[in-house]
Amino acid sequence: MATLFDAHDVEIAWCPGCGNFGILQALKETLDELGYRPQDVVVVSGIGQAAKAPHYLRVNVFNGLHGRSIPVAFAIKAIRPELLVIAESGDGCMYGEGGNHLLHAIRRNPDITVLVHNNQVYGLTKGQASPTSGEGFRSKAQPWGNLSRPLNPLSLAISQGAGLVARAFAGDKEGLKGILKEALNFRGFALVDILQPCVTFNPVNTYAWYRERVYYLGEDHNPEDQIAAFQKSLEWGDRIPLGVFYRNPQPTYEMKVEGRAKKRRNLFEEEEFQRVLQEEFAQFL
Amino acid sequence: MATLFDAHDVEIAWCPGCGNFGILQALKETLDELGYRPQDVVVVSGIGQAAKAPHYLRVNVFNGLHGRSIPVAFAIKAIRPELLVIAESGDGCMYGEGGNHLLHAIRRNPDITVLVHNNQVYGLTKGQASPTSGEGFRSKAQPWGNLSRPLNPLSLAISQGAGLVARAFAGDKEGLKGILKEALNFRGFALVDILQPCVTFNPVNTYAWYRERVYYLGEDHNPEDQIAAFQKSLEWGDRIPLGVFYRNPQPTYEMKVEGRAKKRRNLFEEEEFQRVLQEEFAQFL
Amino acid sequence: MVDVTLKVGGAAGQGVQTVSEVLSLILARHGYYVFSIEDYQSRIRGGHTFTLLRVAEQWVSGGKGALDILVCLDEATYHLHRGEVKEGGVILGKTGNEAPGEDVRLLPLDFEGVALRLGNRVFANMVATGAVLAILGIGLEEAREYVRETFARKGPEIVAKNEEALEEGTRLVEASGLSSSPFLGGHQNPSRVSRRYLISGNEALGLGALLAGCTFYSAYPMTPSTGILNFLASRAEAYGLIVEQAEDEIAAINMAIGASYAGARAMTGTSGGGFCLMCEGLGLAAMTETPIVVIDAQRPGPSTGLPTRTAQGDLLFVLHASHDEFPRFVFAPRDPQEALNTVIRAFNLAEKYQVPAIILSDQYLADTRWSYDRLSCEERPIRPSLSWDGASPYRRYALTPDGISPRLFPGGEALVVADSDEHDERGHLTEDLALRKAMQEKRMRKLEVMRKEMRLPFVLEGKDATLIGWGSTWGVLLEVRKALGQKGKSIGVVHFSDLYPLPEGLRDFLKRFPNPVVVEQNFSGQLATLLEQETLLPFPKRICRYDGLPFLVEELVEQVAEVL
Amino acid sequence: MVDVTLKVGGAAGQGVQTVSEVLSLILARHGYYVFSIEDYQSRIRGGHTFTLLRVAEQWVSGGKGALDILVCLDEATYHLHRGEVKEGGVILGKTGNEAPGEDVRLLPLDFEGVALRLGNRVFANMVATGAVLAILGIGLEEAREYVRETFARKGPEIVAKNEEALEEGTRLVEASGLSSSPFLGGHQNPSRVSRRYLISGNEALGLGALLAGCTFYSAYPMTPSTGILNFLASRAEAYGLIVEQAEDEIAAINMAIGASYAGARAMTGTSGGGFCLMCEGLGLAAMTETPIVVIDAQRPGPSTGLPTRTAQGDLLFVLHASHDEFPRFVFAPRDPQEALNTVIRAFNLAEKYQVPAIILSDQYLADTRWSYDRLSCEERPIRPSLSWDGASPYRRYALTPDGISPRLFPGGEALVVADSDEHDERGHLTEDLALRKAMQEKRMRKLEVMRKEMRLPFVLEGKDATLIGWGSTWGVLLEVRKALGQKGKSIGVVHFSDLYPLPEGLRDFLKRFPNPVVVEQNFSGQLATLLEQETLLPFPKRICRYDGLPFLVEELVEQVAEVL
Ligand SMILES: Cc1ncc(C[n+]2csc(CCOP(=O)(O)OP(=O)(O)O)c2C)c(N)n1
Ligand SMILES: Cc1ncc(C[n+]2csc(CCOP(=O)(O)OP(=O)(O)O)c2C)c(N)n1
Ligand code: SF4
Ligand code: SF4
Ligand SMILES: [Mg+2]
Ligand SMILES: [Mg+2]
């Protein structure tokens, strides 16, 4: 389906069949259906296969450093709260190199949405274990199999009382769109971990593997219940729940500093500049 | 009480009345009572007031960079599994600058103990809000009061299935010692968050404030139950639980790589060197 | 001509800085020129800390080592510093058993005892202040006013107690007869007109950012840069800035870059260890051509080093920081007055050329208070006008003759694309290697235009030798020149505030100065090395101090005399 | 003398690297000298990638641009590279409509079609290999053996199919008549004795670490350094190394430091962006005097830049990386053979002087395969003996004449204390500033002894000009010298592998070389700048390439001829 957000003249560098395509399409359609204009959207990314996604969207793009999309997104939103700000990258980028920023962004609760293309592997660097790779996952860098337990991003975010915490699957566009809509509409920090098959480097977590396991959280799940959300987030194996696990509305960072923007003074204007100068110099006399 | 671990000729640079003294004494006594010899103990720290602690112990010390004690401790333990390795530092160091290392060390489960002097403030840099400072905490850097919700280190560690997760209070030496013993005896990654009054920069979380609130988890708490542990970890306010919240024994990193050490070959010996050289060169022919 | 040096010493937490701050302020309000240097350890209580305060009728720009007055808030101060008091000097406060130097008067005073009699140990600082003012020969009028201003919100009782404390201090000195020949000769400020401005480097850097129209400051606390964070935080609510304490320095610089991309004027500040963590971000700013200002307040290293001491050891590091090559500005302001202007210039130039601008401060500049007749602000915040016609497709990284491309902000009509990868004119990542070459040339092209913005060093001529320095040592070089001038030596000063890119024609410019001696606060003489590289002229004479302490006048005079 | 250049091109994922790897191996086993350069994009599938392969009867050390054979796995390869094929050359595989160059033979072949007929697309690589071998005039004996070795564990059917694929490829060429005058003139390897060794830079760096007795390697994946991680991981279980993928580069270097403190020989590897994040750790290693080896595999920047391309842009950065000053070693090995020895030397010297040693690699060195008659290892891992008498109280940072203090490991009788703060001789943090001065002098004192370990550059004399280079460009400089020699020009080569500290007497040494031209893979000529700074001699002639591609022989010959 064509959308307002289709990029032109940009060649997509992903492998055919990659789960990233599904995410890209779902995001374009969601933005369109929510009525955004491209110029009102900024997508910030890091480095990796997933991190190329913003280039394939017709939006404002800041494709920064590996692991560092969240601080950039935070600041863009702080300065321009009227824009829709999305941070989008891979599991290595967001949970590995960038883990500390995720942790602390949750505490600030900026009104940004973090989309993680979680293929449980480092794609762009050719297949090393990522923070979410299963124990025993083999690669050239881990021929003995991954020795670490996988990071659980949902449990992590829920444990810190994040605004909205969800999991989606790249292989189900409509389901993914529904979750993206909830996340983008949410006022506050929203994390969407998107299960994304990597057809080249992850022979374990394939489309089929996910399809056999995923199911959507039902009506009986209460996303306002932190304990229930936590419990659900631990479920991973034969059954993998999708949907909004947790929802914890709270004042956003931008609301808290809103008052300040109104006091901003135009120092590019000589008279105002002189006024401030005199006020300030007087402090040092 | 004098211990084998008392340092001599080192002046302690903490403020009189600081909660750090209680932690230092408890740790010295615990090490002594557990029968360690100073030369078998390495204490690694970062930078901050708490991070000076190792200098005040008679042990091997690696006082590294702000935020980076855990990777150093991990590697020391990997190379010398026979040593007792402790990483000890402040809340800013471990949860702020060093947050990413904590997160990923849990995944590796090295047999190290992480002691955090949590005074809910940046002491050494004169009183800014730390990741665990309460919302609204005021300082020169946050005259409007801390806007972020505090990080919950216990919930975080429990959410990732850490080996042992505990909270102690610097103001109760015997209780603290009991918890330290459990943590040091535990085989695997152990996190002890120690509530530590900072008498100079934290006027909120004082000895009295803590004393009014803390209580020990009772027999009815089952530390093997992750959900119960999580639930308890969310309790913070009028009542603050102390003790071992969570216990999740699992193979340590050192166990997993134990086999390798046995295969180490002595390349400093010419004959062995030549043997390896020939084997390896043959691979490239 | 009055020129008095006094030192207030004690343990951390005893209020050394309060006493010296109050004294400085009162003396400046009295029309004296004041120069105060802070010396402290990386701890909060105990240990030893002092302030070196110079008070003079003429403008002063450096500290002296020989003391007229030593104020001992604890006994350790007496032991450590009594040898520094010169003939005719006075030691007051807690004294010890050892004899002072010859012709040094002792005035054992128990500030704390007096304070406790007044009801609280906290009044000790005001007792000491009162005593020192009496020895200097300054009436209590200004001091009372200060007390009233400062403690008003604590209620009239506290004001009264503090005033009493001042009076007690003065009385004790009068009782001893020591106030009969006061150090400042009884000079009094006849009117308010001649009050002096008093400002530290950190305050000036913060103020400069405020005046530059900075709307976003992110930082992780790190001595000696934290004062900038505190200053901007103190203004955030009134002026509408966003001041955010980041989780680490990596976040701090990436936040600043994000804010700048979004349209803010953004800055971050740190010290060497934090700057290390910002290297990658610096390259990101360069590659995305996003202007930011970064302050590196230097302290001795390597590594954690000496957190509260001063150094100029990061020059070559910041010059080359981050992998591969890109243009950047590096400034090192010489004093708070210049710092104020430098920050505004840095913002303007960073934005004009879409590059990172680095300002090198150090603990000495950061914490030292200077006094001035007037403060001036010669720079104005200027935003470059955006040169996009709105019609043709917008190309953020258009290949232009001077390398500067039209910079828009997101949220307008055109989409703005930025990438840390090599990219095409639109900002999208590319593997076209001819384009890569063109892009690298475009970025580097700016350097030659940037060079034209750079100013030649400050110059005072001299026949016997030329002291070459940079950054915060300027003031002491002036003092050394003056001191050696009085001894009949003609000493020149060439001082760099603009460090990179170095201005054109430097070789010919530098050739004309006789007998150059480079003076730096680092081990190897980094400016000297840089000048050698730039000019191929040798600068073998180097005076380097790297113990963490700033140069003081007398010692440096001797060192310079030695190499003459 | 046989000297054939061939290029295999296709989309990522099509097996370009497999074809060229197999070809290289078989040719080396046949006794040919092989030199292969990898060119790829930062993506996994699609786009364009190629290997440039040079096969010769004489040892070769650089790549040529003019092709004898172009193997097109896709049509894009034909379009992009057909112009590079010289007279008498052949293009085989997927061809397009445009005409090839004059006297270039076209052999349209559908490798994939043949493979599909054999049952699976994966056999296409072996079809192509068989075809190329036929054109070269190499029988299938070695190829068959390779197939048997490689696919044995996949079962006899797969072996048979692959052999069939090889034969199919050969047959197609024979049918075309193109094999009648083979490029290699039918030369066959008479015995196994003259097999050549084939090794890439990353393999050599990894092997060097293994031989140096490295027991701990921590890294975060980053192109082009990841091959080192893969190599060491492949040996970890057999040799008992700990190879740990860190969560980020900060952890990687801090882990290496911890391991070294605990007694391991420890290394980390990364590229420029990751090195940025290691700057603070580098200073930690310096301050705690903990030896580590750090490999920076350079790629073009700034920032993410061109992840899969080559550059020498980080020289001045790594020389000054981290705040304040401390001694370090910087090496840039010239080829895999030297890389092997350099890593061992770096470990030995880092440990002897208790300092960090940095090895500069780059994508070209990392990925390029060189062939040799023999590999040699001139270095041996040496652990300095510990000089503590066991009696007097142990002082980790004793102030010694050469700055080297007795280094023990924890777990022995003495307690080992290390601190990133300035510290006393025991390692405990200090604020004694006289001691600070002594400690900084102690650390810096090592630099002069270290300098004596450094080797003068490799030299080949020449009368008309002298090419000066460093690191991975050595091989191509040799080739250029030879090529210009054939044109009657006498060209010298001065090549640096030891970069910091620079050996003594460099000024006099360099003065004797006529007409110096510095050749570098960066924008400004960083070695030239460094040499100017060190010698005060001017090096204005610089040939700089910074588009991410390595120098090839013919182009560089022309560029050198221009400046002669
Ligand atoms: C500082 C730094 N370290 C390492 C890299 C190399 N690098 C690029 S992408 C990547 C991993 C990507 O994995 P992920 O984020 O999961 O994305 P994917 O490719 O799987 O979509 C790494 C390690 C880098 N660009 N920068
Ligand atoms: C990279 C880096 N950034 C900043 C600092 C400055 N710094 C030293 S200690 C500290 C905070 C200490 O807080 P915490 O870890 O809570 O320890 P405390 O002093 O409260 O015990 C900071 C920010 C540093 N040393 N290194
Ligand atoms: S490597 Fe994996 S994640 Fe990357 S594009 Fe290919 S399939 Fe997708
Ligand atoms: S500042 Fe606080 S944490 Fe530091 S020593 Fe003093 S009381 Fe303790
Ligand atoms: Mg991934
Ligand atoms: Mg703290």
Side-chain angles (χ1 to χ4, degrees), chain B residues 20 47-51 66 89-94 97 117 119 121-125 130 196, chain C residues 220-223 249 273-274 277 299 304, chain D residues 280:
Chain B
N20 284 333
I47 296 295
Q49 297 281 46
H66 183 59
S89 208
D91 45 329
C93 198
M94 290 288 190
E97 186 91 43
H117 298 214
N119 56 6
V121 74
Y122 283 10
L124 190 57
T125 48
S130 88
Q196 172 237 322
Chain C
Y220 189 76
M222 190 161 194
T223 311
E249 289 83 354
L277 295 168
R299 65 192 214 189
T304 311
Chain D
E280 200 194 8

Side-chain angles (χ1 to χ4, degrees), chain C residues 531-551:
Chain C
L531 294 179
E532 288 187 345
Q533 175 199 301
E534 184 84 10
T535 64
L536 300 186
L537 300 170
F539 292 93
K541 288 195 188 169
R542 305 178 184 192
I543 296 177
C544 293
R545 176 160 206 168
Y546 43 88
D547 62 356
L549 294 173
F551 286 113

Side-chain angles (χ1 to χ4, degrees), chain D residues 134-271:
Chain D
I135 286 183
L136 291 170
I138 301 281
L140 288 183
E141 228 167 288
E142 296 280 356
R144 276 184 221 277
E145 196 184 311
Y146 167 84
V147 161
R148 274 178 242 130
E149 281 169 22
T150 311
F151 298 107
R153 48 186 180 85
K154 298 207 174 172
E157 209 194 330
I158 298 291
V159 170
K161 286 282 185 191
N162 273 291
E163 290 197 49
E164 246 182 275
L166 283 169
E167 285 156 20
E168 271 305 317
T170 297
R171 209 167 299 141
L172 290 170
V173 173
E174 281 165 359
S176 74
L178 261 174
S179 56
S180 55
S181 55
F183 278 89
L184 298 183
H187 165 103
Q188 292 284 343
N189 175 21
S191 82
R192 289 295 159 82
V193 181
S194 54
R195 278 187 172 201
R196 311 293 172 201
Y197 288 88
L198 196 65
I199 188 168
S200 73
N202 269 346
E203 288 167 339
L205 290 165
L207 182 54
L210 188 75
L211 293 172
C214 172
T215 48
F216 190 95
Y217 185 73
S218 46
Y220 189 77
M222 190 161 194
T223 311
S225 69
T226 312
I228 307 165
L229 172 63
N230 291 345
F231 179 89
L232 288 170
S234 76
R235 302 303 196 265
E237 290 196 295
Y239 288 91
L241 334 178
I242 298 220
V243 175
E244 183 62 19
Q245 183 177 311
E247 58 271 27
D248 55 32
E249 289 83 354
I250 301 172
I253 192 167
N254 278 280
M255 284 178 181
I257 292 168
S260 175
Y261 165 82
R265 293 203 130 186
M267 180 163 98
T268 180
T270 184
S271 185

Side-chain angles (χ1 to χ4, degrees), chain D residues 419-564:
Chain D
D419 192 355
S420 69
D421 294 274
E422 192 56 276
H423 41 258
D424 62 20
E425 288 185 282
R426 298 168 306 168
H428 287 298
L429 64 83
T430 187
E431 299 250 13
D432 175 338
L433 300 182
L435 189 53
R436 144 69 180 182
K437 183 164 179 284
M439 280 290 164
Q440 181 69 339
E441 284 162 1
K442 161 196 145 61
R443 286 186 295 265
M444 294 304 289
R445 208 146 57 218
K446 293 191 249 179
L447 200 56
E448 289 319 302
V449 209
M450 286 163 58
R451 194 183 292 280
K452 298 199 169 62
E453 304 274 2
M454 299 307 271
R455 300 175 186 166
L456 281 169
F458 165 94
V459 172
L460 290 174
E461 307 274 348
K463 291 199 199 83
D464 297 326
T466 309
L467 303 181
I468 302 184
W470 62 280
S472 67
T473 57
W474 175 71
V476 76
L477 296 185
L478 295 192
E479 296 273 349
V480 167
R481 177 178 196 262
K482 207 192 291 173
L484 282 167
Q486 282 159 6
K487 295 185 182 175
K489 298 281 178 200
S490 163
I491 305 290
V493 170
V494 171
H495 178 275
F496 288 80
S497 297
D498 286 14
L499 284 163
Y500 191 83
L502 282 166
E504 275 169 355
L506 202 59
R507 185 184 160 91
D508 290 336
F509 174 83
L510 284 177
K511 262 184 178 167
R512 67 183 169 94
F513 297 105
N515 194 11
V517 181
V518 188
V519 181
E520 298 184 58
Q521 299 250 197
N522 57 48
F523 184 88
S524 71
Q526 297 187 20
L527 174 66
T529 301
L530 178 63
L531 293 178
E532 288 187 344
Q533 175 200 301
E534 185 83 9
T535 64
L536 300 186
L537 301 169
F539 291 94
K541 288 194 188 169
R542 307 179 183 190
I543 296 177
C544 294
R545 175 160 206 168
Y546 43 88
D547 62 356
L549 294 172
F551 285 113
L552 296 182
V553 179
E554 303 96 319
E555 290 158 346
L556 190 52
V557 161
E558 266 176 51
Q559 283 179 286
V560 172
E562 261 169 45
V563 297
L564 278 190

Side-chain angles (χ1 to χ4, degrees), chain A residues 281-285, chain C residues 24-34 56-59 187 189-199 370-375:
Chain A
F281 276 5
Q283 306 285 317
F284 296 94
L285 202 59
Chain C
S24 305
L25 201 74
I26 291 166
L27 290 163
R29 287 188 181 178
H30 257 271
Y32 288 102
Y33 292 97
V34 174
E57 277 177 313
Q58 277 199 320
W59 185 70
H187 165 103
N189 174 22
S191 82
R192 288 295 157 80
V193 182
S194 54
R195 277 186 172 203
R196 311 293 173 203
Y197 288 88
L198 195 65
I199 188 168
W370 295 56
S371 57
Y372 302 96
D373 287 335
R374 47 188 297 275
L375 282 178

